[in-house]
Amino acid sequence: MAQEAVAQEAMTQGKAKAPTIYDVAALAGVSHQTVSRYFKAPGGLKPATLERVEKALAELHYTPNLAARSLRSREHYRVVVVVPEASLYFPARMLNGAAAAAHSAGYRVDVVAIEGTAEARAHQLETLLGGEDIAGILSFVPRPKGSPAARHSQAIPMVVAGEYDNKMRARGSLADGAAARKIVEHLASLGHRNFFHVAGPTAWPSARNRRAVYEETVAELGLVSLGVAVGDWSPASGYAAGRKIAAIKDVTAVFAANDQMAIGVMRALHEHGLAVPDDVSVFGWDDMAESSFLIPTLSSVHMDLEALGARSMSELIARIRGQQPATEALSLAPMELVFRESTARVRA
Amino acid sequence: MAQEAVAQEAMTQGKAKAPTIYDVAALAGVSHQTVSRYFKAPGGLKPATLERVEKALAELHYTPNLAARSLRSREHYRVVVVVPEASLYFPARMLNGAAAAAHSAGYRVDVVAIEGTAEARAHQLETLLGGEDIAGILSFVPRPKGSPAARHSQAIPMVVAGEYDNKMRARGSLADGAAARKIVEHLASLGHRNFFHVAGPTAWPSARNRRAVYEETVAELGLVSLGVAVGDWSPASGYAAGRKIAAIKDVTAVFAANDQMAIGVMRALHEHGLAVPDDVSVFGWDDMAESSFLIPTLSSVHMDLEALGARSMSELIARIRGQQPATEALSLAPMELVFRESTARVRA
DNA sequence: GCCAAGAAAGTGATCGGTAACACCAGTATT
DNA sequence: AATACTGGTGTTACCGATCACTTTCTTGGC
């Protein structure tokens, strides 16, 4: 009776509860299993049956109940995206790209910010991996040195964005580092000889990569690197590096691993009476929206960050499905140098 | 037999499949239902039973299978967070705060970026609400004018962050607008009389609010507003506003609704030979990490954005649970004016 | 010391899918 | 002609929780 009342209420309110495969099967005149089979491999049905199922499906606006599905099949449709604590300095566009890619593949995205001390972070990751209902992990945070959750990681597919940069570099392909090389070459072509690099944290592959290419290229071209400061991507760390640079005096070209640190560098130089680009040229990386409106406007590297995020996610999903990632997913998004006011010919 | 083999394999591999309430019940010597009851209301158990259950729980490291739970109970543990397409200009810290709050309440967070034309966005929202397995929606995007998915929204709890600003303002409390008032007052105290406001998109309550308070305060203090430009939060839109301001000439104080637009304004003024703060003072909002390293450093409003995001999420979760949101969740996070180089006494 | 009533715990059905197997015609093999 | 195989479909059990109901244990009043 209560059942009836509920059903009736649902009817009158038009808030029909979601149709199940049984509803679909009844309408199509087949068994529920046939409907289930349809989703697994539509090709396995007889054309006539297939058509009837599809018609019923469309008529009822059926959407599968993921909870029921994953309960039985033990497959999961939730990927966890780990973003750095300092997501202030983390390009949100990468996250968007990754989320969009996951959604279009039918996965849910859970965003988790990893924060606190190294120990606390390891613990967070541990409990994260413990929640047995996740299909995979996409981390924008570099993998901790000691593999902390080694026994889990066998089970759950995990992609650490940026790690493949290393592979690419090893393969000598046009990876992240290619732009770093072009930056140094460009500055050299403007007459600069004395360089300084503000690197990102060593834990980040992209930071290591940019730094390595910087040092390589400076050496190759017979230039001088007057030092490398390791920052944490923040403007404040760039500022600290900038003070060092100002103290050195001879530096005329600075390459910062991201725009935010470049902003800090420029500020510090300004406070020490050094003009950009008259006294020192500064090159950034990421091409933030603000960079073309700074005073001076900042030369930088423009990347398609959405694409980058989407590709990382594609790689993860391929791995979840046990497929080979599409080669396209492994190649890097195109990047482009943007020359602005902050870099100029060295003063005579 | 096959069963046995599997069990044995699991034993030897140490890859025991996740324990269920039946395992817990067996270990504790009670029925599975008692374990289920434990999670619903631990108080309903006899102290002796409770202790045994808890011991078994701890021993097995039991974690509930959310898929099974939500299949039966029709409750869901996934909230969708909607962020604006232009998330470049959206403070990621709010997202972090919201995600953290949701996680600590046992909910999964799915981040969706709403993009495209108004029509496409409405459609996205529609399908989003169609996916019947979500507990609630937290939108950082203003609600579209016409309630598009009205028939759904009855069912799914939805909180639009920032909307309560309006309520607060209506109540005359110390809301978002209070800082706007202080900004105008401060600039007036520095001798400024001719103001200009660069507002955010009209669809955003916070933008409307800041603008309204700006106009109110200017009128109250007998100052002059030489215009209001409506931007889209981007530096580029600030730049466009800055060109207008430069053309007006008499403006000596600009209040921008966020730091990014303020950066655009400063750039435009610079290009027209107007110095900040010597000729024009500029005040921003949000206190981005970069703001204290710009040239000149930018006066701004510092807010605890994590707290803001967390409170919005708390409100949503309360609504999901049918509770009254904690009053604390409704009050605004404290905000604080930060005075930097970009604002100075008006030139004699 | 007995019985009614409420508290505590147990039993079996159920949610909406998938897995495993049975079944059944039609074809291929021996 | 009997058997094996195969593609297409139906039948039943099962995943791990909660729900509705039943049963057992306490407790209190007389």
Side-chain angles (χ1 to χ4, degrees):
Chain A
M1 205 176 76
Q3 284 265 3
E4 242 171 26
V6 168
Q8 195 162 13
E9 188 189 29
M11 293 284 284
T12 51
Q13 288 206 354
K15 186 192 159 194
K17 75 184 240 266
T20 72
I21 52 169
Y22 289 88
D23 301 325
V24 175
L27 185 62
V30 297
S31 81
H32 72 273
Q33 179 63 334
T34 299
V35 179
S36 174
R37 261 189 278 267
Y38 170 81
F39 286 105
K40 205 188 199 178
L45 302 185
K46 238 193 323 199
T49 321
L50 188 138
E51 194 187 345
R52 271 157 57 209
V53 170
E54 276 179 341
K55 189 158 168 295
L57 243 26
E59 195 166 324
L60 293 176
H61 297 295
Y62 170 82
T63 46
N65 180 326
L66 291 187
R69 177 179 290 174
S70 73
L71 174 59
R72 183 65 175 102
S73 68
R74 296 176 178 289
E75 282 169 8
H76 302 289
Y77 301 90
R78 171 177 161 248
V79 298
V80 172
V81 175
V82 180
V83 301
E85 172 182 31
S87 43
L88 275 170
Y89 323 120
F90 171 74
R93 292 166 59 200
M94 273 178 84
L95 177 60
N96 283 2
H103 285 137
S104 70
Y107 287 84
R108 268 67 211 256
V109 176
D110 198 351
V111 177
V112 177
I114 289 285
E115 20 196 357
T117 66
E119 196 183 345
R121 290 163 51 168
H123 179 71
Q124 276 185 65
L125 205 60
E126 192 80 12
T127 56
L128 198 65
L129 296 168
E132 294 288 343
D133 63 338
I134 64 186
I137 299 176
L138 173 58
S139 175
F140 286 113
V141 182
R143 195 192 296 271
K145 293 165 212 166
S147 54
R151 71 171 186 281
H152 290 288
S153 54
Q154 300 172 340
I156 302 178
M158 173 158 170
V159 166
V160 179
E163 275 194 347
Y164 61 100
D165 287 15
N166 281 342
K167 287 184 239 157
M168 298 304 284
R169 189 168 131 66
R171 285 196 237 151
S173 146
L174 289 183
D176 197 283
R181 161 174 282 273
K182 282 196 207 151
I183 288 171
V184 175
E185 287 173 351
H186 173 74
L187 289 167
S189 78
L190 292 175
H192 294 278
R193 291 292 168 266
N194 297 325
F195 285 71
F196 195 97
H197 178 51
V198 184
T202 316
W204 293 66
S206 58
R208 288 199 302 273
N209 199 1
R210 286 167 204 176
R211 176 181 179 161
V213 174
Y214 160 81
E215 289 175 335
E216 225 173 77
T217 311
V218 162
E220 255 179 51
L221 300 183
L223 308 169
V224 181
S225 174
L226 292 175
V228 172
V230 175
D232 64 2
W233 301 125
S234 75
S237 69
Y239 180 80
R243 297 183 59 145
K244 279 191 211 161
I245 294 168
I248 296 177
K249 291 213 154 91
D250 287 336
V251 175
T252 68
V254 177
F255 162 35
N258 77 345
D259 283 0
Q260 312 218 17
M261 293 195 295
I263 289 173
V265 167
M266 293 200 295
R267 175 73 200 179
L269 295 177
H270 171 78
E271 290 183 5
H272 286 75
L274 293 167
V276 175
D278 293 345
D279 298 311
V280 181
S281 284
V282 176
F283 218 105
W285 192 300
D286 276 349
D287 193 20
M288 301 188 333
E290 295 86 346
S291 297
S292 48
F293 295 94
L294 297 173
I295 304 168
T297 55
L298 178 62
S299 295
S300 192
V301 179
H302 186 83
M303 313 179 71
D304 187 345
L305 292 167
E306 271 102 352
L308 219 57
R311 285 172 194 205
S312 301
M313 183 59 80
S314 299
E315 195 190 341
L316 175 62
I317 289 173
R319 205 173 291 181
I320 289 171
R321 294 180 173 162
Q323 300 164 348
Q324 205 56 239
T327 54
E328 172 249 13
L330 286 178
S331 72
L332 270 164
M335 50 187 98
E336 199 182 337
L337 269 60
V338 188
F339 305 109
R340 300 209 183 93
E341 293 169 0
S342 69
T343 47
R345 179 157 286 281
V346 73
R347 214 167 35 174
Chain B
M1 205 175 73
Q3 285 265 1
E4 243 170 26
V6 169
Q8 197 163 11
E9 187 190 30
M11 294 285 284
T12 51
Q13 289 205 353
K15 188 192 158 195
K17 70 185 244 263
T20 71
I21 52 168
Y22 289 88
D23 301 324
V24 175
L27 185 62
V30 298
S31 80
H32 67 103
Q33 178 62 331
T34 300
V35 179
S36 175
R37 260 190 279 266
Y38 170 82
F39 286 107
K40 205 190 203 176
L45 301 186
K46 237 197 315 200
T49 322
L50 188 138
E51 194 187 343
R52 271 157 57 209
V53 170
E54 276 178 343
K55 190 158 167 294
L57 243 26
E59 195 166 322
L60 294 176
H61 297 295
Y62 170 82
T63 47
N65 181 324
L66 291 187
R69 176 178 290 175
S70 72
L71 174 60
R72 185 64 177 103
S73 68
R74 297 178 177 289
E75 282 169 8
H76 302 288
Y77 301 90
R78 170 176 162 248
V79 298
V80 172
V81 176
V82 180
V83 300
E85 172 182 31
S87 44
L88 276 170
Y89 323 120
F90 171 74
R93 294 165 60 199
M94 272 178 86
L95 179 59
N96 282 3
H103 285 136
S104 70
Y107 287 85
R108 270 68 208 261
V109 177
D110 200 347
V111 177
V112 176
I114 289 286
E115 22 196 358
T117 65
E119 196 182 343
R121 292 162 52 167
H123 179 71
Q124 277 184 63
L125 206 60
E126 192 81 10
T127 56
L128 196 67
L129 296 167
E132 293 289 344
D133 63 339
I134 64 186
I137 299 176
L138 173 57
S139 176
F140 286 113
V141 182
R143 194 192 296 271
K145 293 165 211 166
S147 54
R151 71 170 184 281
H152 290 289
S153 53
Q154 300 172 341
I156 302 178
M158 175 160 170
V159 166
V160 179
E163 276 196 345
Y164 61 100
D165 287 15
N166 281 342
K167 287 185 240 155
M168 298 305 282
R169 188 168 132 68
R171 284 196 238 150
S173 145
L174 290 183
D176 196 283
R181 162 175 281 274
K182 282 196 208 151
I183 288 172
V184 175
E185 287 172 350
H186 173 73
L187 289 168
S189 78
L190 292 174
H192 293 278
R193 290 292 167 266
N194 298 325
F195 285 70
F196 195 97
H197 178 51
V198 184
T202 316
W204 293 67
S206 59
R208 287 199 303 272
N209 200 0
R210 286 166 205 176
R211 175 181 180 162
V213 174
Y214 160 81
E215 289 176 335
E216 225 175 77
T217 311
V218 163
E220 255 179 51
L221 301 183
L223 308 169
V224 182
S225 173
L226 293 175
V228 173
V230 175
D232 64 3
W233 300 125
S234 75
S237 69
Y239 180 79
R243 295 184 60 147
K244 277 191 212 162
I245 294 168
I248 296 176
K249 291 211 153 88
D250 287 336
V251 175
T252 68
V254 176
F255 161 35
N258 76 345
D259 283 1
Q260 312 218 18
M261 294 194 295
I263 288 173
V265 167
M266 292 200 295
R267 175 72 200 180
L269 295 177
H270 171 78
E271 289 182 5
H272 286 76
L274 293 167
V276 175
D278 293 346
D279 297 312
V280 182
S281 285
V282 175
F283 218 105
W285 192 299
D286 275 350
D287 193 19
M288 301 189 332
E290 294 87 347
S291 296
S292 48
F293 296 94
L294 297 174
I295 304 168
T297 55
L298 178 62
S299 295
S300 193
V301 179
H302 186 84
M303 313 179 69
D304 187 345
L305 291 167
E306 272 101 352
L308 219 56
R311 285 172 194 205
S312 301
M313 184 58 81
S314 300
E315 194 189 341
L316 175 63
I317 289 173
R319 206 173 289 181
I320 288 170
R321 294 180 173 160
Q323 301 164 347
Q324 205 57 239
T327 54
E328 173 248 13
L330 286 178
S331 72
L332 269 165
M335 50 187 97
E336 199 183 337
L337 269 59
V338 187
F339 305 110
R340 300 209 182 93
E341 293 169 2
S342 69
T343 47
R345 179 158 287 281
V346 72
R347 213 163 39 169

Coordinates of all heavy atoms in Angstrom, one line a residue, chain A residues 266 276-277 289-299 339-342, chain B residues 234-246 254 256 259-276 280 282 294-296 298 342:
Chain A
M266 N 61.4 40.4 -11.2 CA 61.4 41.8 -11.7 C 61.2 42.8 -10.6 O 61.8 43.8 -10.6 CB 60.2 41.9 -12.7 CG 60.5 41.0 -14.0 SD 59.6 41.6 -15.4 CE 57.9 41.2 -14.9
V276 N 64.2 46.6 -16.1 CA 63.9 45.5 -17.0 C 63.2 46.1 -18.2 O 62.2 46.8 -18.0 CB 63.0 44.4 -16.4 CG1 62.6 43.3 -17.4 CG2 63.7 43.8 -15.2
P277 N 63.7 46.0 -19.4 CA 64.8 45.1 -19.9 C 66.1 45.9 -20.0 O 67.1 45.3 -20.5 CB 64.3 44.6 -21.2 CG 63.6 45.8 -21.8 CD 62.9 46.5 -20.6
A289 N 47.6 34.8 -17.9 CA 46.7 35.9 -18.5 C 47.3 37.3 -18.2 O 47.1 38.2 -19.0 CB 45.3 35.8 -18.0
E290 N 47.9 37.4 -17.0 CA 48.3 38.7 -16.6 C 49.6 39.2 -17.3 O 49.9 40.4 -17.4 CB 48.6 38.7 -15.1 CG 47.4 38.5 -14.2 CD 47.1 37.1 -14.0 OE1 47.7 36.2 -14.7 OE2 46.4 36.7 -13.1
S291 N 50.4 38.2 -17.8 CA 51.7 38.5 -18.2 C 51.8 39.5 -19.3 O 52.8 40.2 -19.4 CB 52.4 37.2 -18.7 OG 52.5 36.3 -17.6
S292 N 50.8 39.6 -20.2 CA 50.9 40.6 -21.3 C 50.4 42.0 -20.8 O 50.3 42.9 -21.6 CB 50.1 40.1 -22.5 OG 48.8 39.6 -22.1
F293 N 50.1 42.1 -19.5 CA 49.7 43.4 -19.0 C 50.6 43.9 -17.9 O 50.3 45.0 -17.3 CB 48.2 43.3 -18.5 CG 47.3 43.0 -19.6 CD1 46.9 41.7 -19.9 CD2 46.8 44.0 -20.4 CE1 46.0 41.4 -20.9 CE2 45.9 43.7 -21.4 CZ 45.5 42.4 -21.7
L294 N 51.7 43.2 -17.7 CA 52.6 43.7 -16.6 C 53.4 44.9 -17.2 O 53.4 45.1 -18.4 CB 53.5 42.5 -16.2 CG 52.9 41.3 -15.6 CD1 53.9 40.2 -15.4 CD2 52.2 41.7 -14.3
I295 N 54.1 45.5 -16.3 CA 54.9 46.6 -16.7 C 56.3 46.3 -16.2 O 56.6 46.3 -15.0 CB 54.5 47.9 -16.0 CG1 53.0 48.2 -16.3 CG2 55.4 49.1 -16.4 CD1 52.4 49.3 -15.5
P296 N 57.2 45.9 -17.1 CA 57.0 45.6 -18.5 C 56.2 44.3 -18.8 O 56.3 43.5 -17.9 CB 58.4 45.5 -19.1 CG 59.2 44.9 -18.0 CD 58.6 45.5 -16.7
T297 N 55.7 44.2 -20.0 CA 55.0 42.9 -20.3 C 56.1 41.8 -20.4 O 57.3 42.1 -20.7 CB 54.4 43.0 -21.7 OG1 55.3 43.5 -22.7 CG2 53.2 44.0 -21.7
L298 N 55.7 40.6 -20.0 CA 56.7 39.6 -19.8 C 56.8 38.6 -20.9 O 55.8 38.0 -21.3 CB 56.2 38.8 -18.5 CG 57.1 37.7 -18.0 CD1 58.5 38.1 -17.7 CD2 56.4 37.0 -16.8
S299 N 58.0 38.4 -21.4 CA 58.2 37.3 -22.4 C 58.0 36.0 -21.7 O 58.4 35.8 -20.6 CB 59.6 37.4 -22.9 OG 59.8 38.6 -23.6
F339 N 57.5 36.8 -27.3 CA 58.5 37.8 -27.0 C 57.8 39.1 -26.7 O 57.0 39.6 -27.4 CB 59.4 38.0 -28.1 CG 60.1 36.7 -28.6 CD1 59.8 36.1 -29.8 CD2 61.0 36.1 -27.7 CE1 60.4 34.9 -30.2 CE2 61.6 34.9 -28.1 CZ 61.3 34.3 -29.3
R340 N 58.1 39.6 -25.5 CA 57.5 40.9 -25.1 C 58.5 41.8 -24.5 O 59.7 41.7 -24.8 CB 56.4 40.6 -24.0 CG 55.3 39.6 -24.5 CD 54.0 39.9 -23.8 NE 52.9 38.9 -24.2 CZ 52.7 37.8 -23.6 NH1 53.4 37.4 -22.5 NH2 51.7 37.0 -24.0
E341 N 58.1 42.9 -23.8 CA 59.0 44.0 -23.4 C 60.1 43.6 -22.5 O 61.1 44.2 -22.4 CB 58.2 45.1 -22.8 CG 57.2 45.8 -23.7 CD 56.3 46.7 -22.9 OE1 56.4 46.8 -21.6 OE2 55.4 47.3 -23.5
S342 N 59.9 42.5 -21.8 CA 60.9 42.2 -20.7 C 62.2 41.6 -21.2 O 63.1 41.5 -20.4 CB 60.2 41.2 -19.7 OG 60.1 39.9 -20.3
Chain B
S234 N 38.8 39.6 -16.4 CA 40.1 39.3 -17.0 C 40.9 40.6 -17.1 O 40.4 41.7 -17.1 CB 39.9 38.8 -18.5 OG 39.4 39.9 -19.3
P235 N 42.2 40.4 -17.1 CA 43.1 41.6 -17.3 C 42.8 42.4 -18.6 O 42.8 43.6 -18.6 CB 44.5 40.9 -17.4 CG 44.4 39.6 -16.8 CD 43.0 39.2 -17.0
A236 N 42.4 41.6 -19.6 CA 42.1 42.3 -20.9 C 40.9 43.3 -20.7 O 41.0 44.4 -21.2 CB 41.8 41.3 -21.9
S237 N 39.9 42.9 -20.0 CA 38.8 43.7 -19.8 C 39.2 44.9 -18.9 O 38.7 46.0 -19.1 CB 37.6 43.0 -19.2 OG 37.9 42.6 -17.9
G238 N 40.1 44.7 -18.0 CA 40.6 45.8 -17.2 C 41.4 46.8 -18.0 O 41.2 48.0 -17.9
Y239 N 42.1 46.3 -19.0 CA 42.8 47.1 -19.9 C 41.9 48.0 -20.7 O 42.2 49.2 -20.8 CB 43.7 46.2 -20.8 CG 44.5 46.9 -21.8 CD1 45.7 47.5 -21.4 CD2 44.1 47.1 -23.1 CE1 46.5 48.2 -22.4 CE2 44.9 47.7 -24.1 CZ 46.1 48.3 -23.7 OH 46.9 48.9 -24.6
A240 N 40.8 47.4 -21.2 CA 39.9 48.2 -21.9 C 39.3 49.3 -21.1 O 39.2 50.5 -21.5 CB 38.8 47.3 -22.5
A241 N 39.0 49.0 -19.8 CA 38.5 50.0 -18.9 C 39.5 51.1 -18.7 O 39.2 52.3 -18.6 CB 38.1 49.3 -17.6
G242 N 40.8 50.7 -18.6 CA 41.8 51.6 -18.3 C 41.9 52.6 -19.5 O 42.2 53.8 -19.2
R243 N 41.7 52.2 -20.7 CA 41.8 53.2 -21.8 C 40.7 54.2 -21.7 O 40.9 55.4 -21.9 CB 41.7 52.4 -23.1 CG 42.8 51.5 -23.3 CD 42.7 50.8 -24.7 NE 42.7 51.8 -25.7 CZ 43.3 51.6 -26.9 NH1 43.9 50.4 -27.2 NH2 43.3 52.5 -27.8
K244 N 39.5 53.8 -21.3 CA 38.4 54.7 -21.0 C 38.8 55.7 -20.0 O 38.6 56.9 -20.1 CB 37.2 54.0 -20.6 CG 36.3 53.4 -21.7 CD 35.0 52.9 -21.2 CE 34.5 51.7 -21.9 NZ 33.5 51.0 -21.2
I245 N 39.4 55.2 -18.9 CA 39.7 56.0 -17.8 C 40.8 57.1 -18.2 O 40.7 58.3 -17.9 CB 40.3 55.2 -16.6 CG1 39.2 54.3 -16.1 CG2 40.9 56.1 -15.5 CD1 39.7 53.2 -15.1
A246 N 41.7 56.6 -19.0 CA 42.8 57.5 -19.5 C 42.2 58.7 -20.3 O 42.6 59.8 -20.3 CB 43.8 56.8 -20.3
V254 N 40.8 54.7 -8.9 CA 40.1 53.6 -9.6 C 40.0 52.5 -8.6 O 40.9 52.1 -7.9 CB 40.8 53.1 -10.8 CG1 40.1 51.9 -11.4 CG2 41.0 54.3 -11.8
A256 N 38.9 48.6 -8.7 CA 38.6 47.5 -9.6 C 38.1 46.3 -8.8 O 38.6 46.1 -7.7 CB 39.8 47.0 -10.4
D259 N 41.9 41.9 -8.7 CA 43.2 42.3 -9.0 C 43.6 42.2 -10.5 O 44.4 43.0 -11.0 CB 44.2 41.4 -8.2 CG 44.3 41.8 -6.7 OD1 43.5 42.7 -6.4 OD2 45.0 41.2 -6.0
Q260 N 43.1 41.2 -11.1 CA 43.4 41.0 -12.5 C 43.0 42.1 -13.4 O 43.7 42.6 -14.3 CB 42.8 39.7 -13.1 CG 43.1 38.5 -12.1 CD 43.3 37.2 -12.8 OE1 43.7 37.2 -13.9 NE2 43.2 36.1 -12.0
M261 N 41.8 42.6 -13.2 CA 41.3 43.8 -13.9 C 42.2 45.0 -13.5 O 42.5 45.8 -14.4 CB 39.9 44.0 -13.7 CG 39.0 42.9 -14.3 SD 37.2 43.3 -14.4 CE 36.8 43.5 -12.7
A262 N 42.5 45.1 -12.3 CA 43.4 46.2 -11.8 C 44.7 46.2 -12.6 O 45.2 47.3 -12.9 CB 43.6 46.1 -10.3
I263 N 45.2 45.0 -12.8 CA 46.5 44.9 -13.5 C 46.3 45.5 -15.0 O 47.1 46.3 -15.5 CB 47.0 43.5 -13.6 CG1 47.5 43.0 -12.2 CG2 48.1 43.3 -14.6 CD1 47.8 41.6 -12.1
G264 N 45.2 45.1 -15.6 CA 44.9 45.6 -16.9 C 44.8 47.2 -16.9 O 45.3 47.9 -17.8
V265 N 44.1 47.7 -15.9 CA 43.9 49.1 -15.8 C 45.3 49.8 -15.7 O 45.5 50.8 -16.4 CB 43.1 49.5 -14.5 CG1 43.1 51.0 -14.2 CG2 41.6 49.0 -14.7
M266 N 46.1 49.3 -14.8 CA 47.4 49.9 -14.6 C 48.2 49.9 -15.9 O 48.9 50.9 -16.2 CB 48.2 49.2 -13.5 CG 47.5 49.4 -12.1 SD 48.6 49.1 -10.7 CE 49.0 47.4 -10.9
R267 N 48.1 48.8 -16.6 CA 48.9 48.8 -17.9 C 48.4 49.8 -18.9 O 49.2 50.5 -19.5 CB 48.7 47.4 -18.5 CG 49.3 47.2 -19.9 CD 50.8 47.2 -19.8 NE 51.4 47.5 -21.1 CZ 52.7 47.5 -21.3 NH1 53.6 47.3 -20.3 NH2 53.2 47.8 -22.5
A268 N 47.1 50.0 -18.9 CA 46.5 50.9 -19.9 C 46.9 52.4 -19.5 O 47.3 53.2 -20.3 CB 45.0 50.8 -19.9
L269 N 46.9 52.6 -18.2 CA 47.2 54.0 -17.7 C 48.7 54.2 -18.1 O 49.1 55.3 -18.6 CB 47.0 54.1 -16.2 CG 45.6 54.0 -15.7 CD1 45.5 54.0 -14.2 CD2 44.7 55.1 -16.3
H270 N 49.5 53.2 -17.8 CA 50.9 53.3 -18.1 C 51.2 53.7 -19.6 O 52.0 54.5 -19.9 CB 51.6 52.0 -17.8 CG 53.0 51.9 -18.3 ND1 54.1 52.5 -17.6 CD2 53.6 51.2 -19.3 CE1 55.2 52.2 -18.2 NE2 54.9 51.4 -19.3
E271 N 50.4 53.0 -20.5 CA 50.6 53.3 -21.9 C 50.2 54.7 -22.3 O 50.6 55.2 -23.3 CB 49.8 52.2 -22.7 CG 50.5 50.8 -22.6 CD 49.7 49.8 -23.5 OE1 48.8 50.2 -24.2 OE2 50.1 48.6 -23.4
H272 N 49.3 55.2 -21.5 CA 48.8 56.6 -21.8 C 49.6 57.6 -21.0 O 49.1 58.8 -20.8 CB 47.3 56.7 -21.5 CG 46.5 56.0 -22.6 ND1 46.3 54.7 -22.6 CD2 45.8 56.5 -23.6 CE1 45.6 54.4 -23.6 NE2 45.3 55.5 -24.3
G273 N 50.7 57.2 -20.4 CA 51.6 58.2 -19.7 C 51.1 58.6 -18.4 O 51.5 59.6 -17.8
L274 N 50.1 57.8 -17.8 CA 49.7 58.2 -16.5 C 50.4 57.2 -15.5 O 50.4 56.0 -15.6 CB 48.2 58.0 -16.4 CG 47.4 59.0 -17.2 CD1 45.9 58.6 -17.4 CD2 47.5 60.4 -16.6
A275 N 50.9 57.8 -14.4 CA 51.7 57.0 -13.5 C 50.8 56.6 -12.3 O 49.9 57.4 -11.9 CB 52.9 57.8 -12.9
V276 N 51.0 55.4 -11.8 CA 50.3 54.9 -10.6 C 51.3 54.8 -9.5 O 52.4 54.2 -9.7 CB 49.6 53.5 -10.9 CG1 49.0 53.0 -9.6 CG2 48.6 53.6 -12.0
V280 N 47.2 58.5 -10.8 CA 46.0 57.8 -10.4 C 46.2 56.7 -9.4 O 47.3 56.0 -9.5 CB 45.4 57.1 -11.7 CG1 44.1 56.4 -11.4 CG2 45.2 58.1 -12.8
V282 N 45.1 53.1 -7.7 CA 44.3 51.9 -8.1 C 44.2 51.0 -7.0 O 45.2 50.7 -6.3 CB 45.0 51.2 -9.3 CG1 44.2 49.9 -9.7 CG2 45.0 52.2 -10.5
L294 N 54.0 43.3 -7.8 CA 53.8 44.1 -9.0 C 54.6 45.4 -8.9 O 55.0 45.8 -7.8 CB 52.3 44.4 -9.3 CG 51.5 43.1 -9.5 CD1 50.0 43.5 -9.6 CD2 51.9 42.4 -10.8
I295 N 54.7 46.1 -10.0 CA 55.3 47.4 -10.0 C 54.3 48.4 -10.5 O 54.1 48.4 -11.7 CB 56.6 47.4 -10.9 CG1 57.6 46.3 -10.4 CG2 57.3 48.8 -10.8 CD1 58.7 46.1 -11.4
P296 N 53.7 49.2 -9.7 CA 53.8 49.2 -8.3 C 53.0 48.1 -7.6 O 52.1 47.5 -8.3 CB 53.2 50.6 -7.9 CG 52.1 50.7 -9.0 CD 52.7 50.1 -10.2
L298 N 50.2 46.3 -5.5 CA 48.8 46.7 -5.7 C 48.0 46.6 -4.4 O 48.0 45.6 -3.7 CB 48.2 45.7 -6.7 CG 46.7 45.8 -7.0 CD1 46.3 47.2 -7.6 CD2 46.2 44.7 -7.9
S342 N 50.1 51.2 -4.9 CA 49.3 51.7 -5.9 C 48.3 52.7 -5.5 O 47.6 53.3 -6.3 CB 48.6 50.5 -6.6 OG 47.6 50.0 -5.7

